[in-house]
Amino acid sequence: MPAPQSIMYTISKILDLAVLGLLVVFFIGVLAFEVAYFGLSEPIIPIPHEAEPYFEVLPWVILGLLMADIYVKYVKLGSDWRALVRQHWPDIITDPGVHADQIH
């Protein structure tokens, strides 16, 4: 049976990849539905307007996954808030792909 730490690490990586994938989908939705931001009158990516409600919910799903990722890291560190902030502060304030050991 794998150690609980490796399971938490795997869950954290899966959440990171899910957030990254949903961010790509979100930006595709921006290019399809929010063309006025770019000064265009026609969508860059044509997506039927029936799909727009799904794209409106997407930021909340991404936020939920980011919160779940922070919680998994919190549990992995033995519920120590100070260790969480010390070791994973880039995950808290930036994107999920940046870790403290990568920042110089």
Side-chain angles (χ1 to χ4, degrees):
M1 181 173 176
Q5 293 293 338
S6 66
I7 292 172
M8 296 302 246
Y9 178 80
T10 303
I11 291 171
S12 180
K13 288 299 169 190
I14 290 170
L15 286 170
D16 287 344
L17 291 173
V19 167
L20 183 62
L22 288 176
L23 283 172
V24 168
V25 172
F26 173 75
F27 285 114
I28 289 171
V30 168
L31 294 174
F33 301 116
E34 306 295 335
V35 294
Y37 289 132
F38 304 107
L40 302 172
S41 60
E42 294 293 318
I44 296 171
I45 298 175
I47 296 177
H49 282 283
E50 293 81 25
E52 191 169 2
Y54 299 108
F55 284 94
E56 291 177 6
V57 173
L58 207 51
W60 296 105
V61 173
I62 293 168
L63 178 64
L65 289 175
L66 288 171
M67 291 173 58
D69 185 42
I70 295 297
Y71 178 74
V72 165
K73 290 174 181 172
Y74 171 72
V75 170
K76 186 172 78 171
L77 292 172
S79 301
D80 183 4
W81 281 105
R82 290 182 182 195
L84 176 73
V85 172
R86 212 173 25 250
Q87 293 179 17
H88 296 288
W89 64 269
D91 292 335
I92 296 170
I93 62 171
T94 63
D95 70 321
V98 178
H99 296 283
D101 58 343
Q102 296 172 329
I103 297 177
H104 302 291

